[in-house]
Amino acid sequence: MTNQIALDRMRNSTAPAPASGATPAPRSALEDMMGRAMPYIQQSLPAHLTPERLLRLAITAVNRTPGLADCDTKTIVGAIMTAAQLGLEPNTPLGHCYLVPYSNRKARVKECQLIVGYQGFIDLAYRSGRVLSIQARAVRAGDHFVYQYGLEECLTHRPGDLRGEISHFYAVCRMKDGGHAFVVFSRPEMDQIMAETASKGRHGPWRDHFEAMGCKTAIRRLQKYIPQSVEWAKAAAVDESSPTMVDDLDLSTLQESEPAIVEE
């Protein structure tokens, strides 16, 4: 099935045709730009992720995420292309990455930014081929938690029956060569990290998903001690960057070109 046929089917099944002279809805604009960017996207996609699935995920994210439909379409497509390069599916229960709307107060526009989740970083860590297991967890009051650095490193965590507030976060990795590494953060340390972010925890993922952000931070800080894949390094750079635009891609040259053929 061609990309254009897939796009046409999605338009017909998800939205009525706009009236003559009407301004296309954000979803139609997104589909149009995604269709023209598809040849670039296909060059980056791994075998497990098809262009059609990526487009469906993108449109589902726009429909279900408040504020995302109001974002500059170019930043949405730029975020989707970055997700394709990383081989991560956006806005799914896997928790790999998310398309998130941000307000650019200086430009007075809303932009879409790709946020890589801690499960996404874990997936990317395995791609190095040298990681046996990697995980991050929150420790709560009532848990048995002991750790020690130095020549005789150890870490033990047994969740209690009655668990209270979060007291620590940690990330631990075992390598295939028998080595291991771990990092631990106390709650005050993690609160300080949160306070140094742009939102300072007053809004956004730190306020709404504190435990997940704490686990992600622990995983990110573990990276200096473990083997990294190329995708991990790129994801870390993306996670710290501003929204990606697609102005550097001349999509107009693709508008009239024949879409590439892909298997459905």
Side-chain angles (χ1 to χ4, degrees):
M1 177 186 292
T2 66
N3 296 322
Q4 192 58 53
I5 293 174
L7 287 167
D8 291 341
R9 285 187 179 180
M10 291 188 66
R11 286 196 188 96
N12 294 335
S13 63
T14 58
S20 177
T23 302
R27 181 171 56 196
S28 299
L30 173 62
E31 290 174 2
D32 179 66
M33 188 171 287
M34 282 285 291
R36 288 184 280 130
M38 200 63 76
Y40 290 106
I41 294 174
Q42 283 182 279
Q43 296 173 10
S44 305
L45 281 176
H48 70 274
L49 187 57
T50 65
E52 290 80 11
R53 175 165 175 77
L54 188 63
L55 180 57
R56 290 188 181 95
L57 291 173
I59 292 179
T60 298
V62 169
N63 288 339
R64 296 182 178 179
T65 306
L68 199 55
D70 300 325
C71 291
D72 183 345
T73 306
K74 290 181 179 180
T75 63
I76 298 176
V77 176
I80 293 167
M81 293 179 69
T82 301
Q85 292 168 358
L86 297 174
L88 300 177
E89 295 187 354
N91 296 59
T92 70
L94 295 174
H96 283 172
C97 62
Y98 304 91
L99 303 177
V100 179
Y102 277 91
S103 293
N104 185 331
R105 296 194 177 118
K106 181 179 291 187
R108 296 184 179 180
V109 296
K110 277 193 174 182
E111 297 176 333
C112 173
Q113 183 158 3
L114 184 74
I115 302 297
V116 181
Y118 81 92
Q119 294 289 359
F121 277 107
I122 287 175
D123 183 80
L124 296 176
Y126 282 117
R127 296 186 196 178
S128 71
R130 297 166 60 189
V131 171
L132 182 64
S133 67
I134 181 171
Q135 58 184 294
R137 296 187 185 279
V139 181
R140 293 181 175 272
D143 294 355
H144 173 76
F145 182 64
V146 177
Y147 70 97
Q148 176 178 302
Y149 291 121
L151 296 178
E152 297 182 2
E153 290 188 330
C154 68
L155 187 151
T156 302
H157 179 205
R158 289 197 298 271
D161 295 330
L162 298 175
R163 309 184 72 199
E165 294 295 318
I166 293 175
S167 62
H168 295 79
F169 287 94
Y170 69 90
V172 59
C173 177
R174 288 187 179 276
M175 273 73 83
K176 290 182 177 180
D177 62 5
H180 71 272
F182 67 84
V183 293
V184 177
F185 295 90
S186 67
R187 176 63 182 265
E189 288 175 322
M190 194 60 71
D191 286 343
Q192 180 60 38
I193 292 172
M194 177 181 67
E196 293 172 357
T197 64
S199 72
K200 301 187 184 303
R202 291 194 291 262
H203 55 81
W206 275 105
R207 183 195 65 184
D208 300 333
H209 307 284
F210 177 75
E211 183 170 346
M213 289 300 293
C215 289
K216 172 183 171 178
T217 300
I219 287 284
R220 286 286 310 276
R221 299 298 175 93
L222 184 66
Q223 72 181 82
K224 65 179 71 173
Y225 305 111
I226 65 174
Q228 296 180 39
S229 64
V230 174
E231 292 91 345
W232 176 302
K234 180 174 178 60
V238 166
D239 204 51
E240 297 169 353
S241 68
S242 299
T244 303
M245 302 289 283
V246 291
D247 286 333
D248 56 330
L249 301 180
D250 187 5
L251 299 182
S252 62
T253 63
L254 302 176
Q255 192 164 10
E256 303 300 331
S257 62
E258 180 66 21
I261 304 297
V262 296
E263 296 295 329
E264 186 179 41

